[in-house]
Amino acid sequence: MRQIFLLLTICILLSSCTNTATPTTPPNTTVPTAPPATIAPTNTPQPTETAIPTPTPLPTNTATALPTATPVPTNTPVPTNTPLPTPTADPNAAVIDVTDEIVLRDVKRLGLNIGQYNINAAGFLMTNVIPNPGFESAEFHLIFIADDNATTERAPARADFWNTDWNNLEFHIGHHEGFWNGAEYEVLTGAAAGQRGTVSDFTHENNRLVWYLDGDNNFVGGAAIMVRQVLPGFISDRFPTVIGEPNDTRPNSPGTQSARLTPRDDDLSSYTRFLDQFAATENPEAGKLLQMDGEWNYSVWAKSDGGTTLRIRVAREDGATFLEETVPVGAEWTLIELSFTGEDPQIAGVPGRLRIDLWPNEGMVLVDDHTLKRAEYDSPTRFSDRVVETVQAYNPGIVRFWASNLSHSLDNALSAEFAHKPTGFSPQRTVGLFFTYSLHEFLMLAELVGAEPWYVIPPTFTEQEAQNLIAYLAAPADAHPYAALRAEMGQTAPWTEVFPLIHLEWGNEIWGGANGADPFLGATLGGGQRAGEYANRRMAAMRAVEWFQPDDFNLIIGGQYRAPDRQAEIENNSNNHDTIAIAPYYGVLEQYATDEERYLPLYAHANEAGTGLLSQSVARLSAETEIAIYETNLHMVENDIPNDIRNDVLSSQGAGISLPLTMLHYMRDLGIRNQAVWELVEFSTRTFRGEGWARLFGVMRDLEATYRPRPTYIAMQMANDVIGGDMLAVNVQVDSYTVPAINRVIRPISVPYVEAFAFQNGDQTGIILFNTDIVNARQAVINLPTTGAATGWLLAAENINDDNEDALQVARQPLQFAEFGIESRLTLPPHSMIVLTVDP
């Protein structure tokens, strides 16, 4: 967005007030006349269904440089502005009457998935940027579906689960024979559900994975079976000179092992941890996503078997070295603490990987519990200051914890930083690839930002762990060992006294196919029947805990958006859930020659909420079951289209406003209160065809390099400034246009040029306005039940494709009015969003 365009097109003032503060503009500046709309407005509710024509380009405006803007600005006082002359009233203005009729009580601000902790890309969520800093061994838990011809002791996995021909032990691909020997198992579904025992032998037969189990089992119908174990030692797929040492840890470490380093014959480092390698190894467009600028602190505990030295280096592979020290290491555990000032600017071309290297000079050195942190970070949680600040400014009603946490034990889910283990669940790898924040840390973050927590329970929790989870959340500190653990970690009162509602979802997409096409292979059950049956059993156990109060918890099973009958399968096999949650990602580019084809189907999708796939899922639910949105965002990763076009749309201001517009329709048209966007930060994701990188799914481009919000973030932040209390009915008289059935719009649909949503929160009235006309400014005359002073924000841009990817072009602009509410006239720029709160 360029400043001149904004000042020329905003032209916002009250026709009924002469003492109104308005955005600063030169005296006598007027709104430029926009060209006639090429999608002709209609005066009837159902206009003629016509294809979308190409628009006439907007007139070019003189641009000036944008002032420096804060990516997540706070609500600072609005400066005094020069009033604009009253515009001539537009007889075609939208008339918006906000009534006092309540359409949905007790609404909730739109939520946010905190998302993946990914130190290779933009997901630097924790203050300490080193994952598994305690060098802990991995937990490996897996769910597989037994073939129909399984016997009482022999359980081969289904044929499409994993082919052992693909195993490669050198690169830790696949599970070798004996990998699961001695592991615990439990039958999760079918006639033998609840049967537990030990894996007596794990082998390969006819290119199939086969488990031999003790006990008398019955696997008729393809039972789901869970196996669990802790892998011995510190497993690394690159550095054989790093070995877990379980018999020695630094003093008072919460962990269970350290790492033993020995010199390499080739004089290379014994231990290397790569960070920020996304640009170097995957998407070169990303540049540096963790810049080592400013003050940093590094620490590590070390001891040796005699007297030696340890060389420590933090550097980029393109030549920049930030820290290089050689320190003596004695026979007793000693904490080594080093500081440095980094200079790490963005460079032309692909940056080198960031790496931490450790070299023992000779002999053996044990290392434990190491950290690399920005010196200025002092968040009360282990989440970085940037995470806390950004989530607070977004102001979500819900934060969701889903970060590939599909194979934790409860003890590991609650463990402290240096005791937390990496995890694995896939038959494709023998290395624990996933490391994330703990449940306790997540709940601390939720409390700090004032949001309800939504925790995805690992589907590999045992029944006892599911019950212990409830005790940890709800029991008095002196009533249960896990409640006592909570108190030891600093939370004496039950979490149920902190939050009005705690959302607990059993697994993530546990209906998944449990085959090679399933991204969560090893943690899914192959359909809604098994998913419902299994979740139902675990939820029954949770409800049986004496401290479980139904009003404190929302028990959730995830459904499948594009298969409404999946929800019916789950419902037919479970009666202990409260909610079925689905993920209605939206947006596809099959036709994209014009801006109309690219953007208007996004606005049309929002208007399909009451008649599309989501409504079909609602129709399959019982009256007792709520529906929720566990993830949503733009999508557009399916088709083989020019990547510049794809990313122009995905990162744009025009697409950004479609996200809250869509979620507000879900709220109003389907009564959905609990919704969460995916996700806080991610620079890009690979397209389904693997031929490009889509600028998804983060609403923040990154947190540690540019710290720039995408328009989706800004639009969601603005909506949450207004949402609260009760949602009110709004009558809108406005012309419409027809979007044909393209880009997965189900059928031709009429879309109003101006859309409005309103809320009553105590004495305060809030209103959210969208202009979906991508060519013309639109006037609106607004009538509220009460009048008063109004403050708010505008999100607009000179060009619908403007974004914040390479420079800050899009930012919200403050608005303020001395009196607002009766025949108050606003001019909405093209493809724009305005939010206002009115205090009597």
Side-chain angles (χ1 to χ4, degrees), residues 607-627:
N607 281 268
E608 283 185 329
T611 58
L613 280 175
L614 195 54
S615 66
Q616 295 176 35
S617 288
V618 172
R620 286 159 172 79
L621 303 183
S622 66
E624 295 77 22
T625 300
E626 296 256 351
I627 191 165

Short mmCIF file of all heavy atoms in Angstrom, two decimals, residues 607-627:
data_model
loop_
_atom_site.label_atom_id
_atom_site.label_comp_id
_atom_site.label_asym_id
_atom_site.label_seq_id
_atom_site.Cartn_x
_atom_site.Cartn_y
_atom_site.Cartn_z
N ASN A 607 -19.33 -16.71 1.05
CA ASN A 607 -20.78 -16.63 0.96
C ASN A 607 -21.43 -17.99 0.73
O ASN A 607 -22.66 -18.11 0.78
CB ASN A 607 -21.19 -15.65 -0.14
CG ASN A 607 -21.07 -14.21 0.30
OD1 ASN A 607 -22.04 -13.63 0.81
ND2 ASN A 607 -19.89 -13.63 0.15
N GLU A 608 -20.63 -19.02 0.46
CA GLU A 608 -21.15 -20.38 0.32
C GLU A 608 -21.27 -21.11 1.66
O GLU A 608 -21.68 -22.26 1.69
CB GLU A 608 -20.24 -21.22 -0.58
CG GLU A 608 -20.39 -20.94 -2.05
CD GLU A 608 -19.54 -21.90 -2.87
OE1 GLU A 608 -18.47 -22.33 -2.39
OE2 GLU A 608 -19.96 -22.23 -4.00
N ALA A 609 -20.88 -20.47 2.75
CA ALA A 609 -20.80 -21.18 4.03
C ALA A 609 -22.09 -21.92 4.37
O ALA A 609 -22.06 -23.04 4.87
CB ALA A 609 -20.45 -20.19 5.15
N GLY A 610 -23.22 -21.30 4.08
CA GLY A 610 -24.49 -21.92 4.45
C GLY A 610 -24.97 -23.00 3.52
O GLY A 610 -25.94 -23.70 3.82
N THR A 611 -24.30 -23.18 2.36
CA THR A 611 -24.77 -24.15 1.36
C THR A 611 -23.68 -25.09 0.87
O THR A 611 -23.97 -26.01 0.11
CB THR A 611 -25.36 -23.42 0.14
OG1 THR A 611 -24.36 -22.56 -0.42
CG2 THR A 611 -26.57 -22.59 0.54
N GLY A 612 -22.42 -24.87 1.27
CA GLY A 612 -21.31 -25.65 0.73
C GLY A 612 -21.01 -26.90 1.54
O GLY A 612 -21.84 -27.42 2.29
N LEU A 613 -19.77 -27.40 1.39
CA LEU A 613 -19.36 -28.64 2.04
C LEU A 613 -19.46 -28.55 3.55
O LEU A 613 -19.82 -29.53 4.22
CB LEU A 613 -17.93 -28.99 1.64
CG LEU A 613 -17.72 -29.65 0.28
CD1 LEU A 613 -16.25 -29.80 -0.01
CD2 LEU A 613 -18.41 -31.02 0.24
N LEU A 614 -19.14 -27.40 4.10
CA LEU A 614 -19.19 -27.26 5.55
C LEU A 614 -20.61 -27.46 6.07
O LEU A 614 -20.83 -28.13 7.09
CB LEU A 614 -18.66 -25.89 5.95
CG LEU A 614 -18.31 -25.68 7.43
CD1 LEU A 614 -17.35 -26.74 7.92
CD2 LEU A 614 -17.72 -24.29 7.62
N SER A 615 -21.58 -26.92 5.37
CA SER A 615 -22.97 -27.09 5.80
C SER A 615 -23.40 -28.55 5.68
O SER A 615 -24.22 -29.03 6.46
CB SER A 615 -23.90 -26.20 4.97
OG SER A 615 -23.92 -26.61 3.61
N GLN A 616 -22.83 -29.28 4.71
CA GLN A 616 -23.14 -30.70 4.58
C GLN A 616 -22.61 -31.48 5.78
O GLN A 616 -23.23 -32.44 6.24
CB GLN A 616 -22.55 -31.25 3.29
CG GLN A 616 -23.16 -30.66 2.02
CD GLN A 616 -22.48 -31.17 0.77
OE1 GLN A 616 -22.07 -32.32 0.70
NE2 GLN A 616 -22.34 -30.30 -0.23
N SER A 617 -21.46 -31.09 6.30
CA SER A 617 -20.96 -31.73 7.51
C SER A 617 -21.85 -31.44 8.70
O SER A 617 -22.15 -32.32 9.51
CB SER A 617 -19.53 -31.26 7.80
OG SER A 617 -18.61 -31.80 6.88
N VAL A 618 -22.28 -30.18 8.82
CA VAL A 618 -23.17 -29.82 9.92
C VAL A 618 -24.44 -30.67 9.88
O VAL A 618 -24.94 -31.13 10.92
CB VAL A 618 -23.52 -28.32 9.86
CG1 VAL A 618 -24.59 -27.97 10.88
CG2 VAL A 618 -22.27 -27.48 10.09
N ALA A 619 -24.95 -30.91 8.68
CA ALA A 619 -26.19 -31.69 8.55
C ALA A 619 -26.02 -33.13 9.01
O ALA A 619 -27.01 -33.81 9.32
CB ALA A 619 -26.66 -31.66 7.09
N ARG A 620 -24.79 -33.63 9.08
CA ARG A 620 -24.56 -35.01 9.47
C ARG A 620 -24.27 -35.16 10.95
O ARG A 620 -23.99 -36.26 11.43
CB ARG A 620 -23.42 -35.61 8.64
CG ARG A 620 -23.84 -35.91 7.19
CD ARG A 620 -22.65 -36.00 6.27
NE ARG A 620 -23.00 -36.47 4.94
CZ ARG A 620 -23.56 -35.71 3.99
NH1 ARG A 620 -23.86 -34.44 4.26
NH2 ARG A 620 -23.84 -36.20 2.79
N LEU A 621 -24.29 -34.08 11.71
CA LEU A 621 -24.01 -34.13 13.13
C LEU A 621 -25.30 -34.22 13.94
O LEU A 621 -26.34 -33.69 13.54
CB LEU A 621 -23.23 -32.89 13.57
CG LEU A 621 -21.90 -32.63 12.86
CD1 LEU A 621 -21.22 -31.41 13.46
CD2 LEU A 621 -20.98 -33.84 12.93
N SER A 622 -25.20 -34.85 15.08
CA SER A 622 -26.34 -34.90 15.99
C SER A 622 -26.53 -33.53 16.63
O SER A 622 -25.63 -32.68 16.61
CB SER A 622 -26.10 -35.95 17.07
OG SER A 622 -25.02 -35.56 17.91
N ALA A 623 -27.69 -33.34 17.22
CA ALA A 623 -28.00 -32.05 17.84
C ALA A 623 -27.06 -31.76 19.01
O ALA A 623 -26.84 -30.59 19.36
CB ALA A 623 -29.45 -32.05 18.31
N GLU A 624 -26.49 -32.81 19.62
CA GLU A 624 -25.63 -32.62 20.78
C GLU A 624 -24.19 -32.29 20.40
O GLU A 624 -23.39 -31.94 21.27
CB GLU A 624 -25.63 -33.89 21.65
CG GLU A 624 -26.97 -34.23 22.29
CD GLU A 624 -27.94 -34.86 21.30
OE1 GLU A 624 -27.48 -35.41 20.26
OE2 GLU A 624 -29.16 -34.78 21.56
N THR A 625 -23.84 -32.42 19.13
CA THR A 625 -22.45 -32.23 18.70
C THR A 625 -22.25 -30.84 18.11
O THR A 625 -22.97 -30.43 17.21
CB THR A 625 -22.06 -33.28 17.66
OG1 THR A 625 -22.20 -34.58 18.24
CG2 THR A 625 -20.62 -33.10 17.23
N GLU A 626 -21.24 -30.14 18.63
CA GLU A 626 -20.83 -28.85 18.07
C GLU A 626 -19.91 -29.11 16.88
O GLU A 626 -19.33 -30.20 16.74
CB GLU A 626 -20.09 -28.04 19.13
CG GLU A 626 -20.91 -27.66 20.33
CD GLU A 626 -21.35 -26.21 20.30
OE1 GLU A 626 -20.87 -25.46 19.44
OE2 GLU A 626 -22.18 -25.86 21.15
N ILE A 627 -19.74 -28.11 16.05
CA ILE A 627 -18.74 -28.17 15.00
C ILE A 627 -17.74 -27.05 15.23
O ILE A 627 -18.10 -25.96 15.71
CB ILE A 627 -19.37 -28.08 13.59
CG1 ILE A 627 -18.33 -28.43 12.52
CG2 ILE A 627 -19.99 -26.71 13.34
CD1 ILE A 627 -18.91 -28.73 11.17
#
